[in-house]
Amino acid sequence: MPTLEELLKKHGVTPMENPSSGPRAKLLNQVNRMLTEIENYEDAGDMNADNAKFWWAPQSVNGKRKVTAKYGGRAVDNLSTYVDDSVSAVKSILQSYRAIIEDSDDATWASEEEKRNS
């Protein structure tokens, strides 16, 4: 009989964070939101926007799109890169970011927490 935690993981569901949850949980929640959002996109034009409310830049530059991890309204240092301006490339880097975040713990993000609390 699978546990609830195993079922949540299998189906890609992250329990809703609460304000006291750590940076890893916040980042996982955010990356999963980005992956859910981009799932309905069909081409690069769907990623264009008037503002940068998502992890991908609202416009491409020279055929590349910047993707930056964020939480608490701020970019995460050193977790930003340029990929080809395609939905599949952005989705792929988001999946890579999620794997990195899953392999981390709150201590990994200690400097980010300090930046947000100062």
Side-chain angles (χ1 to χ4, degrees):
M1 192 87 180
T3 65
L4 178 58
E5 186 176 270
E6 289 167 344
L7 289 169
L8 289 168
K9 184 168 182 150
K10 176 182 175 184
H11 294 282
V13 176
T14 302
M16 197 56 185
E17 68 182 62
N18 62 45
S20 64
S21 67
R24 181 183 177 275
K26 291 173 185 172
L27 280 162
L28 270 178
N29 184 43
Q30 290 296 314
V31 76
N32 286 328
R33 281 184 56 226
M34 296 303 113
L35 285 162
T36 299
E37 174 67 28
I38 205 168
E39 195 56 44
N40 302 316
Y41 291 16
E42 293 178 11
D43 62 47
D46 293 337
M47 294 186 288
N48 293 341
D50 293 330
N51 61 45
K53 66 180 180 176
F54 301 119
W55 284 16
W56 51 88
Q59 293 88 28
S60 66
V61 177
N62 299 324
K64 299 287 185 184
R65 179 114 18 193
K66 189 173 186 180
V67 182
T68 304
K70 302 174 194 171
Y71 81 94
R74 296 176 75 170
V76 174
D77 288 343
N78 303 315
L79 199 52
S80 176
T81 192
Y82 283 89
V83 297
D84 289 337
D85 186 29
S86 71
V87 171
S88 63
V90 171
K91 199 181 293 187
S92 178
I93 195 66
L94 288 172
Q95 290 163 341
S96 294
Y97 283 178
R98 179 167 61 188
I100 290 165
I101 296 162
E102 286 174 340
D103 282 351
S104 74
D105 60 27
D106 282 343
T108 307
W109 312 106
S111 65
E112 287 296 321
E113 280 292 273
E114 284 177 27
K115 194 168 79 173
R116 283 156 182 75
N117 294 328
S118 58

